[in-house]
Amino acid sequence: MSTVYVTHSSYAQHTLSQHPEHTGRIISVWQTLIEGNLINRMQQNEPVEATDEMILAVHEATYLQQLKAISQQQRIVLLDADTYVLPQSLQIARLAAGGVVTAIEQVLNGQARNGLAAVRPPGHHALPQRGMGFCLFGNIAIGARYAQKAHDIQRILIVDYDVHHGNGTQDMFYDDPNVLFISTHQHPFYPGSGHIDEIGRGGGEGYTINIPLAAGHGDRSYQEIYERIIWPAAQRFQPELMLVSAGFDAHWRDPLAQMMLSLQGYAHITRELVQMAETLCEGRIVFVMEGGYDLEVLGHGVRNIAHALLGDETVSDPIGNSSRSEPSVESVIEAVCQQHQLC
Ligand SMILES: [Zn+2]
């Protein structure tokens, strides 16, 4: 069975010069996938446009109304200091969330074994009531709600390895015991949330796992975290579907953050996640593009996701490792394990 690949030419039409979240990001991904001869090996599907109903499963109606009003105007609107909306952005954001829905649909209806949604604008910072942090809609959250409603999927594991805390995704499932959200992120850092003691609320208590990391952690720390926290947490939860917020801004060369992962390190944790899905849920996993602001890193990072999903041994890393040594991750692992009774 195949790997579904969802993207759309419109993703290049949401852009602002001088802004880090610009059209060059998706173009780099497309080019790098072509260079790796990967596109033709995947099943390509056009994204659906996320409907109002899909969007309103995670967002408030007043926010959708606001975006509809902006789409009628001929100007750029800023939702916060760094989140822009153009007249065409609503439709593109519908295609971004819809890209995740389409990839999930193909995996859950058995047309594909696993999937890659190369979408933008990104989604994991978008809150129910407003967009923020370059994100308009909670793409991965909309996909997860779709899986729950359309396919009666009971347990969904969302892993977020973007360098920023996925505060929007966390918010949307904070009281939901059927969605386990696990985030590794630089901390303290934008957007400020993601403390170890943010663990969920009510029935959802224990179903949010935050792994905040000081600047400077890299391949070895992430490898330890996957072995000692993410694997046991996933095994305990027994997901039926896995979704990944795949951001490549934890790479050492990213201009916005200070983590030290290499492309090899990213490829390792990507493979761990694919292996987790193979072990726990018949391979059902969809990777969703989030951040990553070094264009070469982003392109090769996404290329390595495609290799992992297709079962290739290949890892593409023209950049190499940082020469800096990383701090010990032991105290963070112990604190998270204790908080979540994983050790
Ligand atoms: Zn990010």
Side-chain angles (χ1 to χ4, degrees):
M1 226 184 349
S2 58
T3 294
V4 58
Y5 168 58
V6 184
T7 196
H8 196 276
S9 58
S10 288
Y11 298 154
Q13 308 303 319
H14 169 84
T15 196
L16 195 61
S17 68
Q18 312 296 324
H19 194 288
E21 210 293 284
H22 62 82
T23 193
R25 299 182 63 243
I26 194 75
I27 291 168
S28 173
V29 167
W30 292 336
Q31 284 174 344
T32 314
L33 289 174
I34 290 168
E35 284 162 19
N37 292 316
L38 285 154
I39 307 260
N40 295 333
R41 297 177 54 207
M42 297 187 279
Q43 169 196 319
Q44 286 184 68
N45 282 75
E46 286 277 301
V48 296
E49 280 188 25
T51 61
D52 286 7
E53 189 188 347
M54 290 173 187
I55 292 163
L56 294 174
V58 302
H59 288 288
E60 291 177 9
T62 48
Y63 174 50
L64 181 57
Q65 277 307 327
Q66 182 193 4
L67 292 182
K68 285 180 180 175
I70 292 170
S71 71
Q72 303 301 316
Q73 301 167 7
Q74 291 308 310
R75 63 191 182 98
I76 299 169
V77 174
L78 291 177
L79 297 181
D80 64 17
D82 46 30
T83 310
Y84 61 92
V85 189
L86 312 173
Q88 67 270 29
S89 295
L90 171 60
Q91 198 214 352
I92 299 168
R94 282 186 192 274
L95 285 166
V100 181
V101 168
T102 298
I104 290 172
E105 172 60 29
Q106 292 299 306
V107 169
L108 293 182
N109 72 19
Q111 292 298 306
R113 184 165 187 85
N114 51 37
L116 168 59
V119 303
R120 62 178 290 277
H124 71 153
H125 293 308
L127 298 170
Q129 69 278 18
R130 67 181 169 93
M132 68 175 272
F134 316 164
C135 303
L136 299 185
F137 290 143
N139 302 326
I140 206 163
I142 288 170
R145 283 284 182 239
Y146 172 81
Q148 288 179 322
K149 286 186 178 177
H151 290 273
D152 201 24
I153 292 288
Q154 298 299 318
R155 289 178 308 283
I156 301 172
L157 169 59
I158 301 178
V159 177
D160 187 326
Y161 63 47
D162 188 282
V163 79
H164 302 97
H165 179 236
N167 60 308
T169 312
Q170 171 171 301
D171 254 37
M172 287 160 178
F173 301 108
Y174 209 50
D175 51 14
D176 188 344
N178 298 312
V179 175
L180 173 61
F181 175 66
I182 307 180
S183 176
T184 47
H185 44 273
Q186 184 173 329
H187 193 85
F189 199 48
Y190 184 89
S193 50
H195 294 261
I196 288 178
D197 61 4
E198 292 168 31
I199 60 167
R201 178 179 52 218
E205 203 174 298
Y207 295 93
T208 294
I209 300 180
N210 280 302
I211 308 163
L213 298 165
H217 285 285
D219 298 359
R220 225 188 40 232
S221 298
Y222 277 79
Q223 193 171 336
E224 284 269 302
I225 288 165
Y226 274 70
E227 265 171 40
R228 291 168 59 191
I229 299 174
I230 301 184
W231 264 106
Q235 273 160 337
R236 184 169 72 186
F237 183 65
Q238 292 289 311
E240 295 171 80
L241 171 68
M242 288 177 57
L243 304 176
V244 182
S245 269
F248 289 91
D249 39 11
H251 189 275
W252 64 269
R253 214 173 70 176
D254 191 85
L256 299 192
Q258 292 77 39
M259 297 305 267
M260 291 294 142
L261 269 174
S262 69
L263 280 166
Q264 288 282 352
Y266 260 120
H268 174 78
I269 61 175
T270 295
R271 278 150 200 277
E272 290 290 295
L273 292 166
V274 172
Q275 192 53 50
M276 238 175 257
E278 290 294 335
T279 308
L280 299 174
C281 50
E282 288 140 40
R284 291 196 291 250
I285 187 167
V286 173
F287 285 78
V288 178
M289 187 172 123
E290 299 280 2
Y293 303 96
D294 180 292
L295 300 189
E296 190 181 13
V297 166
L298 177 63
H300 288 276
V302 175
R303 172 178 166 169
N304 288 331
I305 292 174
H307 282 309
L309 291 173
L310 289 162
D312 299 347
E313 297 288 325
T314 317
V315 173
S316 178
D317 182 2
I319 298 168
N321 289 54
S322 156
S323 54
R324 305 232 331 244
S325 61
E326 49 184 304
S328 167
V329 75
E330 193 58 35
S331 60
V332 181
I333 290 182
E334 277 174 21
V336 174
C337 283
Q338 215 156 43
Q339 179 77 61
H340 290 276
Q341 291 102 45
L342 287 164
C343 47

